[in-house]
């Protein structure tokens, strides 16, 4: 059995693993590299395997850094089969068509077209429920389990040649409103483990809700806007759910709340189809026909004109993408609000190295937005407990549960995987930090 780390090795983006086992060639995720220009250049690099020879692509979840290069894989000859969960397939559709639209704007440099994205989606004919077994040819057995990361997210168990290999995908945090806690893995010989927050401990979710409430109350009272850069998937829906809850409990005043992101709006429509998969409190709320995705304060601004009118009705909460401020309508809100000391910018998600979000988070006093230099005078807040990623204690507990002989650390930056590696070693696990395009024999 051989495993090649085709992405997310020494970095958090570009997840892609190539496993040759039991006569099958399996790709687990095929995501886009994001962040620094030298990272994005990797999207053009030839795959360290022949796409023609790949039998299966197993997709853990719908984030772009896990699926964004699947259309390129198809363009370069992949003609096998794909498997993912039902919600992931719905999400993949929205994400890939959006990614293809952005690619087509790149002209010559486009990695793929909308036609490639459609072809890629057509490959995913197998939709798995958590726990259901899929038999690939050649006695390779696959199971998806609930990763508790975003709607439909899975970690993958593969049994072949008498061994069990588990790919964590992205593991979720605990106590989140719209996803269950991550399930525990089975006993495994090898675990390929994400390490995004391998050096951190998140505060509890409820503490973060209190923080969010305070920023909103203070900022609105001072006449400023609360600007929240948000990932279209899960984080946006969670923020809407929390804002709805805070408003219903009298925790925040009635104020306009705008979701200024067509992509997040489409994603929210998908979430509405899967409310029965939410944890019990959220499920009960939706059953009572109380709808955090459609309440009187909330406006979806689908058109540019509607987007431009934001702010006309006084201080507001504005949620927009992209989540790391690398593009999208958030840029207009940053341009307008960063110079205003009365406004607040609230980060609720991970900001990768090299992104505008990270630059602001790290305390830049001025930044370039839409071609102009803008002073950062708004207050900057970082709310960590809403993270969709497991923190160090959860990662450690989860990995030790599999009692593995070997852990390969992926999907992290140096301080994070370093800290996690030493924790795992202390518990007697053999660890190895994967290098990009490295191949190991299992
Ligand atoms: Zn993810």
């Amino acid at each position: 059995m051989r495993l090649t780390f085709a992405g997310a090795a020494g970095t958090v983006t570009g997840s892609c693993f190539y496993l040759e086992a039991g006569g099958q060639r399996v790709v687990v995720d095929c995501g886009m590299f994001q962040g620094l220009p030298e990272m994005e250049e990797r999207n053009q690099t030839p795959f360290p395997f022949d796409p023609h020879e790949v039998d299966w692509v197993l997709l853990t979840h719908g984030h772009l850094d896990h699926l964004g290069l699947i259309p390129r894989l198809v363009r370069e000859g992949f003609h096998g089969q794909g498997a993912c969960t039902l919600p992931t397939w719905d999400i993949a559709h929205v994400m890939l068509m959006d990614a293809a639209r952005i690619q087509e704007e790149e002209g010559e440099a486009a990695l793929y077209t909308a036609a490639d994205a459609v072809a890629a989606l057509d490959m995913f004919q197998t939709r798995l429920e958590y726990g259901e077994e899929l038999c690939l040819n050649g006695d390779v057995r696959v199971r998806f389990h609930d990763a508790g990361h975003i709607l439909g997210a899975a970690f993958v168990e593969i049994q072949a040649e008498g061994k069990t290999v588990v790919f964590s995908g992205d593991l979720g945090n605990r106590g989140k409103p719209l996803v269950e806690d991550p399930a525990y893995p089975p006993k495994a010989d090898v675990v390929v483990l994400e390490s995004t927050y391998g050096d951190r401990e998140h505060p509890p979710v409820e503490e973060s809700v209190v923080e969010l409430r305070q920023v909103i109350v203070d900022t609105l009272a001072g006449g400023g806007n609360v600007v929240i850069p948000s990932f279209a998937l899960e984080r946006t829906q969670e923020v809407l759910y929390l804002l709805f809850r805070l408003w219903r409990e009298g925790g925040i005043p009635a104020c306009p709340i705008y979701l200024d992101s067509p992509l997040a709006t489409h994603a929210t429509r998908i979430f509405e189809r899967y409310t029965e998969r939410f944890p019990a409190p959220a499920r009960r709320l939706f059953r009572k026909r109380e709808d955090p995705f459609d309440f009187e304060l909330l406006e979806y601004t689908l058109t540019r004109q509607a987007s431009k009118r934001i702010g006309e009705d006084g201080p507001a909460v504005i949620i927009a993408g992209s989540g790391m401020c690398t593009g999208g309508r958030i840029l207009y809100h940053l341009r307008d609000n960063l110079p205003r000391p009365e406004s607040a910018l609230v980060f609720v998600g991970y900001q990768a190295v090299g992104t505008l979000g990270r630059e602001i988070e790290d305390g830049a006093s001025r930044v370039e937005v839409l071609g102009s230099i803008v002073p950062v005078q708004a207050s900057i807040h970082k709310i960590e407990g809403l993270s969709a990623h497991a923190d160090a204690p959860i990662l450690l507990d989860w990995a030790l549960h599999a009692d593995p002989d070997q852990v390969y650390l992926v999907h992290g930056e140096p301080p994070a995987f370093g800290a996690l590696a030493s924790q795992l070693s202390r518990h007697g696990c053999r660890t190895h930090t994967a290098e990009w395009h490295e191949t190991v024999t299992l």
Side-chain angles (χ1 to χ4, degrees):
M1 207 181 320
R2 282 171 14 122
L3 173 63
T4 302
F5 299 95
T11 175
V12 290
T13 62
S15 275
C16 187
F17 309 105
Y18 179 62
L19 182 73
E20 297 157 274
Q24 292 286 289
R25 297 178 181 92
V26 180
V27 167
V28 178
D29 289 341
C30 191
M32 205 170 254
F33 292 95
Q34 296 164 301
L36 293 168
E38 57 262 39
M39 201 48 72
E40 296 196 345
E41 274 169 26
R42 290 188 178 187
N43 290 319
Q44 312 270 1
T45 308
F47 293 111
F49 51 82
D50 182 355
H52 291 92
E53 292 187 342
V54 174
D55 299 296
W56 281 88
V57 173
L58 308 176
L59 174 61
T60 62
H61 66 286
H63 275 147
L64 205 59
D65 65 322
H66 291 256
L67 61 65
L69 288 188
I70 298 176
R72 205 195 113 194
L73 196 67
V74 171
R75 198 183 171 90
E76 295 183 9
F78 168 60
H79 56 273
Q81 304 183 66
C84 61
T85 66
L86 185 58
T88 295
W89 194 85
D90 278 343
I91 290 168
H93 191 272
V94 169
M95 299 302 281
L96 281 185
M97 295 319 291
D98 185 69
R101 183 185 55 75
I102 293 169
Q103 284 299 321
E104 286 185 342
E105 286 170 7
E106 298 278 315
E108 294 264 295
L111 295 165
Y112 49 81
T113 63
D116 297 321
V118 170
L121 289 160
D122 279 349
M123 303 279 183
F124 283 81
Q125 294 296 329
T126 303
R127 320 278 152 72
L128 290 174
E129 289 296 330
Y130 296 134
E132 187 183 343
E133 187 173 276
L134 168 69
C135 242
L136 314 186
N137 291 333
D139 200 24
V140 178
R141 278 171 295 161
V142 172
R143 267 200 200 94
F144 282 22
H145 303 276
D146 193 348
H149 170 58
I150 64 168
L151 177 68
F155 65 84
V156 180
E157 170 194 358
I158 300 179
Q159 292 181 26
E161 302 177 20
K163 286 191 171 164
T164 301
V165 184
V166 169
F167 292 87
S168 72
D170 286 357
L171 285 180
N173 199 352
R174 290 180 183 150
K176 301 300 299 282
L178 302 182
V179 276
E180 299 286 358
D181 289 353
Y184 277 113
K187 163 87 185 94
D189 300 284
V190 175
V191 170
V192 179
L193 181 64
E194 72 121 318
S195 52
T196 318
Y197 285 116
D199 58 346
R200 268 182 257 181
E201 204 168 323
H202 297 318
V205 174
E206 282 310 311
E207 217 169 272
S208 300
V209 177
V210 171
E211 256 179 279
L212 179 65
R213 176 187 161 276
Q214 200 58 49
V215 177
I216 293 173
V217 168
D218 294 348
T219 307
L220 295 175
N225 292 317
V226 178
V227 178
I228 307 178
S230 185
F231 300 109
L233 282 179
E234 200 69 38
R235 197 64 40 85
T236 290
Q237 292 75 31
E238 263 172 29
V239 169
L240 293 179
Y241 179 85
L242 296 176
L243 291 175
F244 173 81
R245 230 188 68 190
L246 285 170
W247 168 64
R248 288 303 297 263
E249 292 165 0
I252 57 170
C255 66
I257 297 172
Y258 298 99
L259 179 55
D260 193 25
S261 161
L263 182 62
T265 301
H266 287 139
T268 306
R269 299 282 95 93
I270 294 174
F271 275 64
E272 282 172 338
R273 281 184 234 153
Y274 292 102
T275 57
E276 284 301 308
R277 296 190 183 217
F278 292 168
R283 195 165 60 227
R284 278 198 295 271
L285 194 69
F286 278 92
R287 277 188 191 159
K288 281 196 294 183
R289 307 216 175 279
E290 298 230 39
D291 192 344
F293 301 151
D294 185 14
F295 60 105
E296 61 195 76
L297 304 183
L298 176 61
E299 187 182 335
Y300 292 87
T301 47
L302 280 170
T303 63
R304 279 264 183 221
Q305 283 83 343
S307 174
K308 281 184 185 150
R309 283 199 300 274
I310 289 176
E312 285 179 2
D313 297 326
V317 176
I318 305 161
I319 306 158
S322 72
M324 296 193 274
C325 310
T326 50
R329 293 189 188 172
I330 190 67
L331 297 180
Y332 297 94
H333 302 297
L334 292 178
R335 182 193 62 193
D336 298 345
N337 286 281
L338 282 178
R340 297 180 61 193
E342 68 275 24
S343 285
L345 176 61
V346 184
F347 289 111
V348 291
Y350 189 80
Q351 304 298 309
V353 174
T355 61
L356 175 59
R358 180 66 165 260
E359 211 184 320
I360 298 170
E361 192 183 78
D362 284 348
S365 57
R366 50 182 43 126
V367 287
E368 190 181 332
V369 184
L370 295 166
S372 348
I373 301 295
V374 175
V376 181
Q377 277 161 349
S379 61
I380 309 298
H381 308 264
K382 185 176 169 186
I383 295 187
E384 289 187 15
L386 298 183
S387 174
H389 281 275
D391 62 3
I394 300 174
L395 288 170
L396 189 67
D397 178 47
W398 188 88
L400 292 176
H401 203 270
D403 189 21
D405 297 331
Q406 176 79 53
V407 177
Y408 291 101
L409 292 167
V410 297
H411 203 288
E413 287 170 1
F417 57 68
L420 193 58
S422 56
Q423 284 285 336
L424 285 162
S425 307
R426 209 165 298 151
H427 286 84
C429 282
R430 269 198 303 164
T431 64
H432 176 77
T433 302
E435 295 198 17
W436 190 41
H437 285 196
E438 179 184 9
T439 297
V440 293
T441 301
L442 307 181

